[in-house]
Amino acid sequence: MRLPRIMLAAPSSGSGKTLITCGILQALVNRGFRVASFKCGPDYIDPMFHSRVIGVKSGNLDTFFTDKATTRYLFGRSAAEAEISVAEGVMGYYDGLGGISEEASSSDVAAALDMPVVLVVNCRGMSISVVPLIKGFLEYQTPSRIKGVILNQMPKSLYADMKAQIERWLPVKVLGYVPKVEDLVLESRHLGLVLPGEIESLKEKLNRLAAVLEESIDLDAFLALAYEAPDFTYETPELPKLSGGKKVRIGVAEDDAFCFTYRDNFQMLKDMGAELVPFSPIKDEALPEGIDGLILSGGYPELHAKALSENEDMRGAIHDAVKAGLPCIAECGGFLYLHRTLEGSDGVDYPMAGVIGAKAYRTDKLSRFGYIEMEAKQDQLILAEGEKARGHEFHYWESEDCGNAIHAKKPLRKRNWDCVHGTPTLYAGFPHLFFYSNPAMAWNFLQKCSNDSIQPEAPAAEGV
């Protein structure tokens, strides 16, 4: 099928690709296109920003989590609903696992999806040197799939000469430039901490950015590259389904404190027969009625620790339900919420749900950051002993008790550790899960949720 698609990548982080991707997405929406956006890698924040502020359907593409066939399926399923798909790369174009491999890099994703690439080059402090820089990226791999270039922080007065030099020496099309737009820069908090009251002002900022890019970038040529992508095929994998049309109701924490979710995880649960019921641990006083399972996703509980703690009815309801054996997946932020206490971003220790009898506290750096390979050390909610999956960790907070039900190790590195509180009814730990790395995780969870027998208790708590 014809699935127009294109990737915006860069030589390194900090090149401006996120800002330019957001501006181009907004410009395409303003032109009336049905757009799908994707983020390479495990990041939750950019897809959340794209969907909340720009209003486009957004997801992740990650060749560490999924093999080529599965990556093509996850892309094709969403891209088929759009007129054009735009992917944003991660880090530098060739940067992959462990900093020493191209596996799981943006170039790896582009290769898996036969996707044309536009390289965003930050030209601050550089003129003709941009030519050998681009030449290196074009020639490092063959084919590089780099078809176009956008020159960021390029003065208008210099652009015509640089475009002529690049296109004279290199087989690549220069699609335009982006001048300094300091008043339109998106701060990191905008991407991660979008409050409802900020969305309208951010939309106004993005529309002004889109207007700038309409003038400085040849968006028609950008679209033409996307439409030159070869025909696309994919196969739909077979997933198990609950028998007899039975629906399992899963309560899903969904508010400003719990907002890190992979769309593909939730879609897999639905495809297997789950009904997802959103609720807010900040605002709601009770869990949804009649739920068979619970998901507490990652997010920012530390920023909302006071409000979460003050909602004693919800803390008590979750404590009692999990202790009574309600199957529960609690990732990272959800894991923090299950602790006896959580140090908020204000430095105050707040009582939480009390399922994990330990304190969660702030550190000054990222802990165990990055991809991990996981192996179950014992039978537990999502994995049987010896089963493997892949995940990632990203957290500045730490726990006095991270658990030991799963053994984690860094790919291509020697570092390894134990983590996760895992029982027949509980997964609670820092690792974020991508179900398509091993669909047994989602299936085991739903099977337990659909089992009406008495369940074992979760680990002992030290009060709510």
Side-chain angles (χ1 to χ4, degrees), residues 121-127 152-154 180:
V121 181
N122 190 333
C123 297
R124 183 174 180 270
M126 179 167 48
S127 59
N152 190 25
Q153 296 202 53
M154 169 64 67
K180 286 187 178 180

Side-chain angles (χ1 to χ4, degrees), residues 378-398:
Q378 63 196 47
D379 290 348
Q380 52 196 283
L381 176 61
I382 62 168
L383 294 171
E385 181 178 357
E387 282 191 315
K388 297 180 180 181
R390 291 183 167 188
H392 79 100
E393 292 197 24
F394 186 98
H395 51 95
Y396 287 91
W397 263 246
E398 188 55 276

Side-chain angles (χ1 to χ4, degrees), residues 117 132 151 167 220 241 337 375 412 464:
V117 176
L151 306 178
E167 293 184 341
D220 291 332
K241 293 181 175 60
Y337 178 74
E375 181 174 351
L412 306 183
V464 181

Side-chain angles (χ1 to χ4, degrees), residues 1-3 5 113-116 226-233:
M1 64 179 72
R2 296 293 298 165
L3 293 181
R5 56 198 184 276
L113 302 177
D114 299 318
M115 183 177 279
Y227 278 88
E228 289 174 7
D231 287 352
F232 194 88
T233 60

Side-chain angles (χ1 to χ4, degrees), residues 90-121:
V90 60
M91 298 180 64
Y93 182 52
Y94 294 112
D95 296 332
L97 289 185
I100 57 175
S101 169
E102 292 164 36
E103 183 183 351
S105 66
S106 302
S107 64
D108 198 30
V109 173
L113 302 177
D114 299 318
M115 183 177 279
V117 176
V118 173
L119 195 69
V120 175
V121 181

Side-chain angles (χ1 to χ4, degrees), residues 106-405:
S106 302
S107 64
D108 198 30
V109 173
L113 302 177
D114 299 318
M115 183 177 279
V117 176
V118 173
L119 195 69
V120 175
V121 181
N122 190 333
C123 297
R124 183 174 180 270
M126 179 167 48
S127 59
I128 196 66
S129 293
V130 73
V131 176
L133 187 153
I134 297 169
K135 178 181 173 66
F137 276 82
L138 291 174
E139 296 181 357
Y140 179 73
Q141 269 191 4
T142 304
S144 70
R145 293 182 173 78
I146 298 171
K147 304 295 183 182
V149 176
I150 292 173
L151 306 178
N152 190 25
Q153 296 202 53
M154 169 64 67
K156 183 178 181 179
S157 59
L158 191 59
Y159 170 67
D161 289 336
M162 290 303 99
K163 174 181 169 66
Q165 289 294 325
I166 293 168
E167 293 184 341
R168 174 188 175 190
W169 295 107
L170 303 176
V172 68
K173 183 174 181 61
V174 180
L175 301 179
Y177 71 100
V178 180
K180 286 187 178 180
V181 286
E182 293 178 357
D183 60 323
L184 301 180
V185 170
L186 299 173
E187 299 174 12
S188 59
R189 76 175 187 90
H190 287 147
L191 296 177
L193 307 177
V194 178
L195 301 175
E198 291 185 294
I199 290 179
E200 287 305 315
S201 62
L202 287 171
K203 285 183 176 178
E204 189 273 335
K205 178 180 283 191
L206 281 173
N207 276 308
R208 287 194 289 129
L209 175 61
V212 170
L213 300 189
E214 282 279 9
E215 293 295 322
S216 66
I217 294 176
D218 186 346
L219 287 180
D220 291 332
F222 179 86
L223 288 166
L225 286 181
Y227 278 88
E228 289 174 7
D231 287 352
F232 194 88
T233 60
Y234 67 88
E235 295 183 2
T236 302
E238 291 187 11
L239 295 175
K241 293 181 175 60
L242 295 173
S243 61
K246 181 178 180 180
K247 285 286 185 181
V248 168
R249 284 170 56 84
I250 307 297
V252 177
E254 195 171 281
D255 56 23
D256 288 339
F258 303 98
C259 51
F260 286 2
T261 56
Y262 289 126
R263 181 188 68 195
D264 293 316
N265 279 0
F266 284 172
Q267 187 60 53
M268 176 182 281
L269 292 172
K270 292 177 183 177
D271 291 343
M272 288 179 171
E275 175 188 355
L276 304 185
V277 186
F279 72 98
S280 171
I282 295 178
K283 299 177 181 178
D284 294 338
E285 296 179 355
L287 288 168
E289 293 184 5
I291 59 172
D292 304 296
L294 182 64
I295 294 178
L296 301 172
S297 301
Y300 302 107
E302 67 276 9
L303 298 178
H304 304 276
K306 185 174 187 292
L308 289 168
S309 186
E310 289 176 345
N311 192 347
E312 295 182 13
D313 289 339
M314 179 58 77
R315 286 197 291 119
I318 289 178
H319 169 271
D320 293 346
V322 177
K323 287 286 291 177
L326 183 72
C328 174
I329 293 176
E331 299 176 330
C332 201
F335 172 51
L336 296 178
Y337 178 74
L338 291 185
H339 278 66
R340 181 182 70 247
T341 61
L342 168 63
E343 180 184 351
S345 57
D346 57 4
V348 177
D349 290 343
Y350 292 96
M352 288 290 133
V355 173
I356 306 296
K359 173 184 176 179
Y361 57 94
R362 183 175 188 167
T363 68
D364 295 327
K365 61 181 180 180
L366 283 172
S367 300
R368 301 181 297 281
F369 166 65
Y371 289 122
I372 55 173
E373 296 170 329
M374 306 162 58
E375 181 174 351
K377 296 173 60 182
Q378 63 196 47
D379 290 348
Q380 52 196 283
L381 176 61
I382 62 168
L383 294 171
E385 181 178 357
E387 282 191 315
K388 297 180 180 181
R390 291 183 167 188
H392 79 100
E393 292 197 24
F394 186 98
H395 51 95
Y396 287 91
W397 263 246
E398 188 55 276
S399 170
E400 293 176 338
D401 183 3
C402 291
N404 60 4

